[in-house]
């Protein structure tokens, strides 16, 4: 399975994915931040990289077309958004239906968007988690294929939640990519696992 990834930050999810030694070939890592640590993670793993800056483009969709065009040139079977912090133009996302997954630090459908840990604490939730979902034009709205849960304690802060959740993410994302690589998780217009639709 040819895998490309997009990341905006330090790339710990990308690093975990690479370290999982899945039967996949990483063909490209891209970023909207030329200084993203994720690019260093890729370089150390010998994976080709591409970085583009929004300020170099006329508008958002021009940026998205350029970056996703570069991803498409690498001919990936799967695109993993591993901490990619931009909202992607719907017309660009449409071309990747069923071929792009995202990891989001909340128990979707709760807390789509940003600041999930803070919102979880503010709501007084006793549980938090991360979700991997197929990417659709609806922000953090695509079919959820797997989740990891953690308990929220009375002394938890945004930082302690994020740190503890990241550990779970580093297992969850590789598990999903492995399921796709093995053919157990598929996209047939909807997410299927072992031949059965995921509701
Ligand atoms: C993770 O919490 C992920 O859920 C969210 O952004 C963070 C990425 O962290 N999308 P990293 O760059 O993979 O360390």
């Amino acid at each position: 399975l040819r895998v490309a990834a997009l990341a905006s930050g330090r790339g710990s999810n990308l690093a975990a994915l690479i370290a999982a030694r899945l039967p996949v070939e990483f063909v490209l890592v891209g970023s909207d931040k030329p200084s993203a640590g994720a690019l260093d993670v890729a370089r150390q793993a010998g994976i080709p990289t591409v970085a583009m800056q929004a300020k170099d483009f006329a508008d958002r969709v021009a940026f998205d077309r350029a970056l996703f065009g570069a991803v498409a040139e690498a001919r990936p079977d799967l695109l993993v958004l591993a901490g990619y912090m931009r909202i992607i133009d719907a017309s660009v996302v449409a071309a990747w239906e069923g071929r792009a997954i995202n990891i989001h630090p909340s128990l979707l459908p709760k807390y789509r968007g940003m600041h999930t840990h803070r919102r979880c604490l503010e709501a007084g939730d006793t549980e938090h988690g991360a979700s991997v979902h197929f990417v659709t034009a609806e922000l953090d709205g695509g079919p959820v294929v797997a989740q990891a849960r953690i308990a929220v304690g009375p002394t938890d802060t945004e930082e302690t939640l994020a740190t503890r959740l990241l550990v779970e993410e580093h297992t969850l994302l590789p598990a999903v990519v492995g399921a796709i690589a093995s053919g157990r998780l598929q996209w047939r217009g909807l997410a299927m696992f072992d031949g059965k639709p995921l509701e």
Side-chain angles (χ1 to χ4, degrees):
L1 188 79
R2 295 172 60 89
V3 176
L6 288 177
S8 304
R10 88 215 116 180
S12 75
N13 270 298
L14 174 66
L17 196 52
I18 295 166
R21 305 186 64 72
L22 297 169
V24 303
E25 179 191 359
F26 291 96
V27 295
L28 184 73
V29 171
S31 184
D32 58 317
K33 301 284 181 217
S35 60
L39 295 172
D40 294 325
V41 169
R43 290 184 196 110
Q44 279 156 22
I47 302 167
T49 61
V50 65
M52 296 185 185
Q53 287 185 282
K55 70 176 179 57
D56 297 334
F57 292 84
D59 54 34
R60 294 182 59 85
V61 69
F63 172 85
D64 288 348
R65 285 187 181 136
L67 183 57
F68 282 75
V71 172
E73 279 172 24
R75 291 182 295 101
D77 300 304
L78 176 68
L79 172 58
V80 179
L81 303 185
Y84 184 66
M85 305 312 276
R86 283 177 63 87
I87 295 172
I88 309 153
D89 184 82
S91 68
V92 172
V93 170
W96 293 88
E97 178 176 290
R99 296 193 297 145
I101 59 173
N102 179 47
I103 183 159
H104 179 75
S106 82
L107 289 174
L108 291 173
K110 285 179 112 173
Y111 314 133
R112 291 176 179 163
M114 301 292 289
H115 311 302
T116 63
H117 314 303
R118 182 192 313 164
R119 292 155 70 189
C120 166
L121 289 169
E122 284 169 354
D125 294 351
T126 55
E127 225 183 21
H128 189 30
S131 306
V132 176
H133 61 93
F134 279 101
V135 175
T136 61
E138 188 183 7
L139 176 67
D140 300 326
V144 174
V145 297
Q147 294 187 313
R149 292 170 186 274
I150 59 172
V152 180
T155 61
D156 265 319
T157 64
E158 279 187 67
E159 289 72 29
T160 59
L161 278 186
T163 302
R164 210 159 64 246
L165 190 55
L166 213 46
V167 172
E168 301 302 322
E169 294 178 40
H170 293 168
T171 303
L172 183 68
L173 185 58
V176 172
V177 175
I180 293 172
S182 68
R184 296 191 68 183
L185 176 59
Q186 296 179 318
W187 179 265
R188 292 273 179 277
L190 77 166
M192 307 275 286
F193 192 83
D194 283 352
K196 291 186 292 296
L198 286 175
E199 61 283 338

